Amino acid sequence: MSRKKIALIGGGQIGGVLAQHIAQKELGDVVLFDIVEDMPQGKTLDIAEASRIDGFDVKLSGTNDYKDIAGSDLVIITAGLPRKPGMSRDDLLSTNAKIMKSVAEAVKTNAPNAIVIIISNPLDAMVTLFQKVSGFPHNRVIGQAGVLDSSRFSTFIAWELEVSVKDVNAMVLGGHGDTMVPLTRYANVNGVPVLEMLERKYKDASKAKEVMDAMVERTKMAGGEVVKLLKTGSAFYSPASAAVEMAAAIIKNEKRLLPTCAFLNNEYGVKGYYVGVPVVLGEKGAERIIEVSLNEEEQAALDKSVTAVKSLVEDMERLGF
Ligand code: TXD
């Protein structure tokens, strides 16, 4: 099997951690691109010099020239500004749309056969724009949000129930914004419903619901919670881990079922928009959209989230993108 080539566009906080994880897992050779001179070269040199210690053997290089991403099998994009305290993800729209447009043109020219995972915010709009500018088929352009949002939700559940986070399964659907939809009814600890465990713990259904609602709220605001503490940027360890899980599913053709920002064509009653839903990821990218039955309340929450995504995309179009 020939070695895969993975290009990372954006060598900032997330880009650096991505490069390190991908190397440690030996998913492929890494090319780290940034517009800042010497920085991606420095970061990849630093990571490569740990290879003897960590025991990985892949090629790592940094570049400021898009020609070096030629032949990439996978491209992961983090180029763009992160949030500062007090900002919403949507406040990044015009700056990051300009950056994403230039990135999409460069990827189209230099790595036309790659599968692309986008991380830059506002996520749903950036994925939409990349696909529009590149013209790549929808299955080859996806976004990372749900894996992270679901991991955040799972973490809070594990803390609350005092169980290993390894046994928690919880999924968050919808757009990557304050309207995201944590699916409480499906959340479970190795098959045991979380809601049931909460009811047993508190011996009171309304208290159990209150605790669940608080975890849902914290999940929705989790990105902002980290931004407020870091003060100079946004979360980067966990978004990188999330994207690496998706990258591994694609590179190794694992058929993982992961919440992914994917293009909907009538699934969940949505046509023509990128929204976070469960997707089977494999060597073709987003291979299958999985529909979950939603009750009235869940469907209404998802509809509200889709409305937020649509208005973000309209704002972007009004800006001329
Ligand atoms: O889950 C998620 N999807 C996210 C997304 C979770 C957290 C943060 N998320 C977003 O990822 C965040 O709001 C940002 O839009 C991106 C990247 O976050 P990161 O923390 O890595 O930002 P940095 O450290 O500022 O890195 C961005 C890099 C920086 O090195 C710039 O020089 C570079 O992007 N940059 C560019 N690269 C290539 N091409 C162009 N035009 C360009 N402009 C800036």
Side-chain angles (χ1 to χ4, degrees), residues 84-320:
K84 297 255 166 64
M87 284 173 89
S88 83
R89 295 179 180 90
D90 299 358
D91 292 337
L92 301 166
L93 185 62
S94 63
T95 322
N96 284 358
K98 207 167 138 216
I99 294 172
M100 189 55 64
K101 186 165 182 261
S102 71
V103 172
E105 282 159 356
V107 172
K108 182 184 180 177
T109 308
N110 295 284
N113 300 314
I115 292 175
V116 181
I117 302 174
I118 289 147
I119 304 184
S120 315
N121 272 324
L123 195 266
D124 309 279
M126 292 305 101
V127 181
T128 305
L129 179 62
F130 183 97
Q131 194 284 326
K132 185 176 163 189
V133 174
S134 68
F136 285 11
H138 291 109
N139 63 298
R140 283 209 277 123
V141 182
I142 57 180
Q144 187 298 119
V147 172
L148 170 58
D149 296 329
S150 303
S151 178
R152 284 170 166 161
F153 189 31
S154 299
T155 305
F156 303 145
I157 290 170
W159 289 343
E160 166 61 33
L161 292 176
E162 296 175 84
V163 296
S164 168
V165 70
K166 291 183 188 174
D167 291 328
V168 179
N169 297 299
M171 184 121 73
V172 177
L173 306 186
H176 186 52
D178 301 346
T179 59
M180 67 179 75
V181 187
L183 287 184
T184 57
R185 202 162 52 95
Y186 286 101
N188 69 80
V189 183
N190 258 352
V192 183
V194 170
L195 279 168
E196 209 178 294
M197 289 180 77
L198 286 171
E199 280 170 20
R200 279 181 209 279
K201 177 174 173 180
Y202 292 102
K203 300 180 182 62
D204 173 353
S206 71
K207 173 69 184 167
K209 187 174 177 307
E210 202 180 290
V211 172
M212 180 60 106
D213 288 348
M215 291 194 290
V216 164
E217 225 24 59
R218 188 170 181 192
T219 301
K220 290 183 182 178
M221 300 302 161
E225 189 181 350
V226 175
V227 171
K228 205 167 157 210
L229 292 165
L230 293 181
K231 296 184 181 71
T232 53
S234 50
F236 56 99
Y237 294 112
S238 56
S241 293
V244 170
E245 186 171 52
M246 297 171 76
I250 293 165
I251 294 281
K252 299 198 231 164
N253 194 19
E254 290 177 327
K255 317 290 184 195
R256 295 284 309 275
L257 190 159
L258 297 174
T260 298
C261 176
F263 189 75
L264 297 188
N265 203 355
N266 280 333
E267 297 88 354
Y268 293 91
V270 180
K271 190 170 171 58
Y273 284 91
Y274 270 98
V275 178
V277 293
V279 174
V280 174
L281 295 181
E283 64 187 347
K284 296 190 177 68
E287 298 192 346
R288 267 186 302 148
I289 309 268
I290 303 300
E291 292 200 74
V292 194
S293 55
L294 300 179
N295 64 25
E296 232 170 83
E297 197 186 332
E298 292 155 351
Q299 185 65 50
L302 185 64
D303 291 346
K304 192 173 159 208
S305 190
V306 172
T307 304
V309 171
K310 285 182 182 169
S311 85
L312 186 66
V313 170
E314 279 162 17
D315 286 350
M316 185 168 71
E317 285 167 357
R318 260 195 297 279
L319 289 168

Side-chain angles (χ1 to χ4, degrees), residues 38-110:
D38 292 340
M39 182 270 277
Q41 290 86 340
K43 282 198 179 182
T44 46
L45 178 63
D46 187 17
I47 295 167
E49 287 169 354
S51 60
R52 176 65 185 86
I53 307 163
D54 286 341
F56 61 80
D57 190 358
V58 294
K59 255 202 302 195
L60 282 143
S61 55
T63 185
N64 310 111
D65 185 347
Y66 270 115
K67 286 199 185 76
D68 294 329
I69 74 165
S72 294
D73 301 286
L74 184 68
V75 173
I76 307 179
I77 303 172
T78 60
L81 299 191
R83 285 196 275 173
K84 297 255 166 64
M87 284 173 89
S88 83
R89 295 179 180 90
D90 299 358
D91 292 337
L92 301 166
L93 185 62
S94 63
T95 322
N96 284 358
K98 207 167 138 216
I99 294 172
M100 189 55 64
K101 186 165 182 261
S102 71
V103 172
E105 282 159 356
V107 172
K108 182 184 180 177
T109 308
N110 295 284

